[in-house]
Amino acid sequence: MATFGALAYFLTLLWQSVQGYSALTTGFAFVVPSGLALVGTFAGGRAATRAGTRTTLLLALAISTAGAAGLAVTISADRPYAVIAVPLAVLSLGQGMVFVTMFAAASTGVPPEDQGIGSGIATTGQQIGGAVGLALLIALAGAVTGSHAEADPARVVDGIRAAVWAITAGIGLTALAVLNLRRPPSAIRATNTAAAGTAAELSGDRGR
């Protein structure tokens, strides 16, 4: 959330302060990424069911990293929306997949009576990460932009680009953290028990 949640702020800054979009036009500009994020949630849920949470989360973060890097490369003061929308669409699709698998991962292995606590911790982390991450990214963008941003929109773009590169790095680091995710012992025991039961049934069938 320190990465994904901050994008809306910097895109609004780009479209309104640099490219001169109205508030209404900016709102319409977010229709495409919002719609693809919704598609990503459905795709992420289906993929997690078939391939597992860890694999799906890694795939979603890889897609998001590629989209964020493409967005950082694409951003400029005079770049048309149609060009920016391409990497933004890729990033938004990955973002939607990350959301659904992130909460699935947070609740995996948690006892049923503690599911509310686990979900609450995940949601709290999401909100705190978004607030702290946005503050740090704004500080970074401000340091790059300097004190003469109003007179030079190109400096504003430089600050936005630096923030998007930082977002890209954050998503990539998250993917590295996900590589260390392992199935909880309870899930492994349940799988082993099921496998043993299946083997016993097959042995019984052969014996008969």
Side-chain angles (χ1 to χ4, degrees), residues 71-101:
L71 185 62
V73 171
T74 303
I75 284 177
S76 72
D78 56 355
R79 194 79 69 190
Y81 175 80
V83 176
I84 295 176
V86 175
L88 182 58
V90 175
L91 173 59
S92 300
L93 182 65
Q95 177 181 1
M97 294 177 67
V98 167
F99 283 168
V100 67
T101 50

Side-chain angles (χ1 to χ4, degrees), residues 183-196:
R183 297 178 67 189
S186 58
I188 296 175
R189 286 196 298 269
T191 301
N192 292 339
T193 302

Side-chain angles (χ1 to χ4, degrees), residues 152-176:
D152 188 3
R155 297 290 295 276
V156 178
V157 174
D158 289 341
I160 294 172
R161 186 180 298 108
V164 177
W165 276 121
I167 288 170
T168 305
I171 299 172
L173 290 173
T174 303
L176 293 178

Side-chain angles (χ1 to χ4, degrees), residues 7 9 27-28 31 43 48 54 58 61-62 66 76 80 82 92 97-98 101 108 119 126 129 131 133-134 142 197 201:
L7 275 172
Y9 171 83
F28 279 115
V31 170
R54 180 175 179 271
L58 282 172
L61 288 167
S76 72
S92 300
M97 294 177 67
V98 167
T101 50
T108 299
S119 177
Q126 173 189 6
L134 178 59
E201 290 179 3

Side-chain angles (χ1 to χ4, degrees), residues 106-124:
S107 61
T108 299
V110 179
E113 64 273 15
D114 294 330
Q115 285 289 331
I117 297 175
S119 177
I121 292 174
T123 303
T124 300

